[in-house]
Amino acid sequence: MAEKELSNFFNDYLKKEPLFLNRKVFQGGYLPETVDHRDEQIQFIAKILAPILRGDKPSNLFVYGKTGTGKTMCIKYIMEKMMETTNKSSNPLKILYLNCKLKRVADTEYRLIAQLARGFGKEIPFTGLPTDEVYRIFFNSVEKEKKPVMLVLDEIDQLVKKTGDGVLYNLTRCNEELKGSQVSLVGLSNDMVFIDNLDPRVKSSLSEEELVFPPYNALQLQDILRQRAKKAFKDGTLKPGTIEKCAAYSAREHGDARRAIELLRVAGELAERAGENKILLKYIDAAEEKIERDRLVDITASQPKQSQCILYSIIMLSTKKKGNIFTGEIYDFYKPLCQKTGLRPLTQRRISDVIAELDMLGVIHAKVISKGRYGRTREISLTLPDSSVLNIKKILEEGLDLT
DNA sequence: GTCAATTCACATGAAAGAGACCACGGTCTAGTG
DNA sequence: CTAGACCGTGGTCTCTTTCATGTGAATTGACGA
């Protein structure tokens, strides 16, 4: 773009009326002043946790619910209110919130405990200390604190899946060992069945109280979206039906409010970029496509080389041959490909895991089937939409230095 | 024709290794007064 | 004498390999009608 054109473009851009009043409403950590359609759950949680305000130990609590059902938001909302109350009263209280899924922060036993200890103002190195040492530091600081401590562990299922239930066992044991303070646990999980696989001792102590967050239905999603939209957009930006469509799309999936909100945001951005002063219905379709496309591109680009190489093999095989592909075929294609790219070929055992990972990410669809006499294998097909396959193939070729 | 045993091609689990990263304490080295 | 560079040790974390065990239905082959 020539210099003059560019400045013209910027001038035009400034002249145009922005659609957004306030983008913050759409950001991840945003907490609305009121929480819609979760009164029942909030009341329930509040009743259970309230004793802590008087210095008593409340029951441990376990909260289930799919992503985007408002678990985290409700807990944060309650935490905030509790802190407000406790600041006024004479009974101090310590609340620590941790998301166990955060990579490199709290996704292993060591890191979780280290992070908790840091919550008490301790300095813990990222690595180098024995784990028991960190436990000791943490326990000591709890003991010294002399006030009730509440630990909120978000996405706790991820932690247990990765590291086992030892951490939880140690944390629940905490109360028996410490005389001065009490620690109560609040666990949030996406996975309903995860607790059944826990050590029975941990299970009984952790799930003294349980609560399930049901998915939002389309009408509830509409309310939530409307509330956000009122703050985010200028009046009259939304065509009638826009909110309804966003809500319907997301309700059809799992009632995921986060997704619904993102959909609305991206639709707004697309409309703004197109120079519209209204968000038309077609931008919602476009937004849904864009979100999916971006997600897939992000995933593929951020995969390690080996996974990329395997995904590339899958793409090549599935374009070459119709129907499903099997693990063995992929491995046969992958091995010579490694030679070309200078990668060290991995064993088939590892490939099997990588394929399972790609399936988890939703890039491919893999199902274990038995072909009777002809063995047991995974039946694999691409789930990428045709429109992104070429694009992703290009990204992979660049990533792998293929010509 | 029926039924149990066999067989294939991986899936799945467990354990252990390699290599990267990091903190800590001790030793060495160069610069300073 | 001291600050900083440079090891060696001991720890975690992630990705892999190795070894072992599991699995589900097509196929096979014995058996009886």
Side-chain angles (χ1 to χ4, degrees):
Chain A
M1 213 185 278
E3 195 180 320
K4 201 171 158 195
E5 269 177 66
L6 189 60
S7 56
N8 276 344
F9 168 77
F10 283 141
N11 280 332
D12 285 351
Y13 181 85
L14 280 179
K15 260 183 251 160
K16 254 187 257 165
E17 295 255 325
L19 283 179
F20 287 92
L21 277 179
N22 180 4
R23 277 175 202 269
K24 256 191 236 149
V25 178
F26 285 130
Q27 277 165 10
Y30 175 79
L31 260 186
E33 287 114 54
T34 57
V35 181
D36 280 348
H37 300 294
R38 285 295 180 236
D39 299 339
E40 217 177 288
Q41 283 81 5
I42 290 182
Q43 292 254 326
F44 183 86
I45 297 175
K47 269 184 206 154
I48 288 169
L49 297 183
I52 204 172
L53 294 170
R54 289 217 194 92
D56 296 330
K57 181 193 174 304
S59 303
N60 290 335
L61 170 66
F62 218 83
V63 180
Y64 300 106
K66 294 249 171 69
T67 40
T69 48
K71 300 180 300 289
T72 308
M73 196 179 62
C74 285
I75 279 286
K76 285 197 167 167
Y77 178 76
I78 292 169
M79 276 165 51
E80 207 166 274
K81 294 285 171 210
M82 283 174 96
M83 288 316 281
E84 274 173 29
T85 323
T86 197
N87 283 342
K88 281 182 225 148
S89 84
S90 53
N91 287 319
L93 162 67
K94 180 106 189 166
I95 303 183
L96 290 178
Y97 170 87
L98 258 186
N99 188 333
C100 306
K101 209 174 88 184
L102 288 181
K103 287 245 164 182
R104 318 217 152 264
V105 177
D107 58 345
T108 69
E109 180 173 16
Y110 177 92
R111 300 215 258 242
L112 177 83
I113 304 301
Q115 198 61 29
L116 289 176
R118 282 187 205 115
F120 285 96
K122 301 280 175 201
E123 299 250 337
I124 309 278
F126 294 109
T127 163
L129 255 56
T131 309
D132 345 354
E133 179 76 15
V134 187
Y135 266 111
R136 237 195 40 234
I137 297 176
F138 170 64
F139 283 0
N140 283 342
S141 16
V142 173
E143 187 116 61
K144 236 189 267 163
E145 198 78 10
K146 294 256 184 283
K147 42 180 156 170
V149 176
M150 187 170 120
L151 302 181
V152 182
L153 302 179
D154 204 346
E155 316 238 13
I156 200 171
D157 46 335
Q158 301 285 329
L159 178 75
V160 173
K161 207 186 283 167
K162 269 192 75 175
T163 66
D165 51 12
V167 205
L168 295 182
Y169 178 68
N170 286 332
L171 282 178
T172 53
R173 218 193 48 203
C174 187
N175 282 318
E176 293 153 32
E177 298 208 349
L178 303 179
K179 288 154 215 109
S181 312
Q182 296 139 326
V183 177
S184 50
L185 283 172
V186 177
L188 311 187
S189 159
N190 296 325
D191 186 353
M192 301 278 209
V193 292
F194 127 92
I195 200 158
D196 295 330
N197 305 326
L198 288 178
D199 183 309
R201 282 169 299 182
V202 178
K203 184 178 166 186
S204 66
S205 125
L206 196 59
S207 55
E208 288 168 340
E209 298 284 351
E210 288 185 11
L211 176 64
V212 176
F213 272 61
Y216 293 109
N217 64 32
L219 289 176
Q220 293 169 335
L221 284 175
Q222 284 179 25
D223 284 343
I224 293 167
L225 286 175
R226 238 176 242 125
Q227 204 200 31
R228 298 262 175 137
K230 213 159 66 184
K231 291 214 186 96
F233 297 119
K234 295 202 314 187
D235 278 349
T237 322
L238 287 166
K239 273 268 192 180
T242 323
I243 297 263
E244 286 76 2
K245 190 163 183 183
C246 270
Y249 269 10
S250 309
R252 204 180 44 199
E253 302 252 317
H254 309 109
D256 183 343
R258 197 178 309 161
R259 203 179 147 73
I261 290 167
E262 192 188 5
L263 196 58
L264 191 60
R265 190 202 81 216
V266 175
E269 281 169 2
L270 288 177
E272 193 178 61
R273 223 169 284 167
E276 302 269 1
N277 56 5
K278 276 200 188 333
I279 299 178
L280 307 172
L281 285 182
K282 65 173 181 185
Y283 289 114
I284 295 182
D285 289 313
E288 195 175 50
E289 232 190 275
K290 179 173 161 35
I291 289 173
E292 181 62 9
R293 213 171 39 226
D294 287 357
R295 191 181 72 87
L296 291 170
V297 167
D298 278 356
I299 288 174
T300 38
S302 64
Q303 284 305 298
K305 286 260 156 93
Q306 293 285 3
S307 301
Q308 291 190 352
C309 193
I310 291 162
L311 181 58
Y312 184 75
S313 310
I314 296 173
I315 291 180
M316 290 309 279
L317 280 172
S318 68
T319 47
K320 207 158 59 176
K321 136 179 196 222
K322 286 185 282 296
N324 293 316
I325 339 168
F326 306 107
T327 308
E329 291 176 278
I330 294 173
Y331 193 59
D332 290 341
F333 189 93
Y334 156 86
K335 252 199 295 191
L337 187 65
C338 278
Q339 297 247 304
K340 247 190 262 174
T341 56
L343 283 171
R344 191 172 52 87
L346 302 178
T347 50
Q348 183 153 327
R349 174 69 187 85
R350 179 68 189 132
I351 303 304
S352 180
D353 281 348
V354 172
I355 290 173
E357 281 161 27
L358 288 174
D359 180 37
M360 284 279 291
L361 290 170
V363 187
I364 60 173
H365 184 78
K367 194 173 137 208
V368 179
I369 56 153
S370 176
K371 293 193 290 174
R373 189 70 203 270
Y374 305 105
R376 222 165 107 86
T377 181
R378 278 200 176 84
E379 195 179 61
I380 296 148
S381 56
L382 270 181
T383 52
L384 300 175
D386 291 344
S387 54
S388 0
V389 169
L390 272 180
N391 193 8
I392 286 180
K393 199 170 131 192
K394 220 168 77 192
I395 292 172
L396 291 175
E397 277 166 2
E398 278 164 23
L400 295 168
D401 285 335
L402 285 166
T403 42

